[in-house]
Amino acid sequence: MNHHFPLPQGGELVLHRYPRFTDHGLQAWEAADEYLIQQLATQEWDSSAPLVIVNDAFGALTLALHRYRPCTLLDSRVSELALEHNARDNHISADWQCLNSLEEWPQAPGLVLLKLPKINAMLEHQLAALSRVMGPATRIIAGAKARDVHSSTLKLFERYIGPTHTSLAWKKARLIFAEPDMGKVPSPAPEVQCWPLEGTDFTIHNLANVFSRGSLDVGARFMLDHIPGNRPDRIIDLGCGNGVLGLMALARNPQARVTFVDESYMAVASARLNVSHNLPDALARSQFMVNNCLEGMGPDEADLVLCNPPFHQQQAITDHIAWQMFVDSKRVLRRGGELLLVANRHLDYHQKLKRLFGNQRVVASNRKFVILKAIKNT
């Protein structure tokens, strides 16, 4: 796998996904990153004003343009760690500002480089934020795989920013150019999406970048019926998303403490919002953590880990995140502690759990999903 990202002015960066030992042959940048960097050689922009880089998954844009001291906006703790590690590998000092998705953008940027996020609601959230800070001289260029740039995408840019056009495709990537229309009224942040959780009195709140934002995903729905009750456990909702599994664990286990963990700032904020709104008295039994899986947590810190693992990183399908979740879960569980997970049947996590824990059993299954339990015996 090529780890050498070419720079137009000469030289290259060595870039890896994070964690590095789980690269699995996946490249740490896209053709759209190269296209954006090349495009800047033909663009004029006010380099004395802030350079804002949005959704730079593994640091390619930030490191290539580090001399401008950019402001990098991310919703992902994994992306933050990738940027830190790739900077160290390339002997680049961290002279940029890193903001998470819940923080305010800098005013009147000279240039905004935006990689299209996977979720359309997140793009709307980011374009609305940009509409509130852009100035008449702000240059705005977005990049993505050509297949991900639709007429509806361009309409969002026109709605929030102003006149929009696209580049020709290059290496199956395309750029979007938007010109600020200062006659537009700046857009407030889109409303938090809410829906009732069937069979309960709960209302689930979802910020823009939460997986399955519009409804309960079918895997989580299946898992809810199998969350144990009346246990005084230390429970972790790993990869919590909006926190629906941990919320149910709090409700069914009034003596338990639940830690909600996700690599997305918006996911953890959604989980906190859902506990605050639905079970305010349980906040004292709740902890919320933005983290790369269970990094930094020691042994014997949990009795039960609940997990609905993803099988993708950014746009790439991969099982390495699930494997890291399983390994971390075994480390933090006490002896006799349990990992309870839901997954698509075809992913065949049975063998992975048996190899790691030495045991596993099927708790429940249906046509599409399986719920598995593994116990830490050693």
Side-chain angles (χ1 to χ4, degrees):
M1 172 52 60
N2 180 23
H3 295 298
H4 299 273
F5 180 71
L7 300 175
Q9 66 270 30
E12 61 188 19
L13 295 170
V14 177
L15 299 177
H16 296 268
R17 291 191 172 220
Y18 185 87
R20 180 177 301 183
F21 69 84
T22 57
D23 266 0
H24 288 291
L26 298 175
Q27 190 168 273
W29 70 91
E30 299 176 326
D33 296 296
E34 294 182 65
Y35 205 175
L36 283 166
I37 294 298
Q38 291 173 10
Q39 186 65 34
L40 293 188
T42 66
Q43 296 286 318
E44 292 184 2
W45 55 282
D46 181 4
S47 59
S48 66
L51 164 60
V52 177
I53 298 174
V54 189
N55 306 324
D56 187 14
F58 303 105
L61 298 175
T62 302
L63 295 178
L65 300 168
H66 73 94
R67 65 188 180 279
Y68 297 106
R69 298 186 175 183
C71 176
T72 296
L73 289 94
L74 298 166
D75 186 54
S76 165
R77 178 60 182 152
V78 169
S79 292
E80 291 177 348
L81 291 167
L83 176 55
E84 292 173 14
H85 282 251
N86 282 325
R88 192 177 306 130
D89 289 348
N90 288 279
H91 309 290
I92 296 173
S93 60
D95 50 1
W96 52 82
Q97 181 184 17
C98 204
L99 298 178
N100 69 57
S101 57
L102 305 175
E103 295 181 286
E104 292 295 322
W105 294 36
Q107 289 289 325
L111 175 66
V112 176
L113 300 180
L114 185 149
K115 293 291 297 300
L116 290 190
K118 185 175 180 180
I119 298 176
N120 241 21
M122 186 60 164
L123 177 58
E124 283 201 63
H125 175 89
Q126 292 175 337
L127 293 178
L130 178 52
S131 78
R132 298 193 296 273
V133 301
M134 67 185 185
T138 301
R139 302 301 302 271
I140 300 163
I141 312 174
K145 290 183 173 70
R147 70 186 186 201
D148 295 329
V149 179
H150 310 289
S151 59
S152 59
T153 312
L154 305 183
K155 287 177 182 176
L156 285 178
F157 278 84
E158 290 171 347
R159 173 182 164 192
Y160 286 100
I161 307 301
T164 299
H165 67 278
T166 64
S167 71
L168 297 174
W170 177 80
K171 288 188 176 181
K172 299 182 180 179
R174 196 179 297 278
L175 302 182
I176 300 170
F177 302 87
E179 300 175 18
D181 179 354
M182 301 312 294
K184 287 182 176 290
V185 176
S187 300
E191 291 185 4
V192 175
Q193 188 158 351
C194 304
W195 36 263
L197 181 59
E198 183 181 343
T200 73
D201 295 328
F202 296 158
T203 299
I204 303 301
H205 301 70
N206 303 270
L207 298 184
N209 205 34
V210 176
F211 171 72
S212 194
R213 178 172 177 259
S215 62
L216 182 63
D217 81 89
V218 287
R221 183 184 302 278
F222 188 42
M223 180 77 150
L224 284 178
D225 293 332
H226 300 278
I227 293 175
N230 297 314
R231 293 166 49 162
D233 287 343
R234 299 162 298 168
I235 300 172
I236 295 174
D237 183 355
L238 176 56
C240 65
N242 59 27
V244 67
L245 299 183
L247 183 68
M248 189 62 72
L250 283 169
R252 291 184 181 165
N253 298 274
Q255 303 303 314
R257 301 185 62 84
V258 176
T259 300
F260 297 81
V261 183
D262 203 287
E263 67 106 22
S264 160
Y265 285 90
M266 283 195 173
V268 173
S270 298
R272 183 189 294 273
L273 186 59
N274 283 320
V275 176
S276 301
H277 181 87
N278 295 292
L279 294 173
D281 292 343
L283 274 172
R285 300 188 284 122
S286 306
Q287 182 180 2
F288 304 90
M289 182 183 301
V290 179
N291 198 6
N292 170 40
C293 295
L294 300 177
E295 201 167 75
M297 297 181 68
D300 302 319
E301 292 194 28
D303 304 292
L304 173 66
V305 176
L306 305 173
C307 189
N308 182 5
F311 52 91
H312 56 81
Q313 183 180 44
Q314 304 297 331
Q315 307 287 351
I317 294 174
T318 172
D319 66 355
H320 78 260
I321 299 173
W323 178 249
Q324 184 181 350
M325 286 178 160
F326 303 161
V327 171
D328 285 4
S329 295
K330 184 181 180 186
R331 186 186 72 250
V332 305
L333 283 167
R334 64 165 172 81
R335 187 171 183 177
E338 302 170 358
L339 169 63
L340 189 67
L341 70 93
V342 61
N344 293 76
R345 295 176 66 96
H346 73 272
L347 294 173
D348 194 28
Y349 288 152
H350 309 69
Q351 297 303 320
K352 283 182 164 51
L353 292 180
K354 193 168 185 179
R355 178 157 50 116
L356 182 62
F357 285 85
N359 68 88
Q360 65 83 30
R361 74 176 181 87
V362 176
V363 174
S365 65
N366 61 22
R367 196 160 51 90
K368 188 172 182 181
F369 292 95
V370 62
I371 295 175
L372 304 174
K373 178 191 287 188
I375 299 173
K376 180 178 178 178
N377 291 322
T378 58

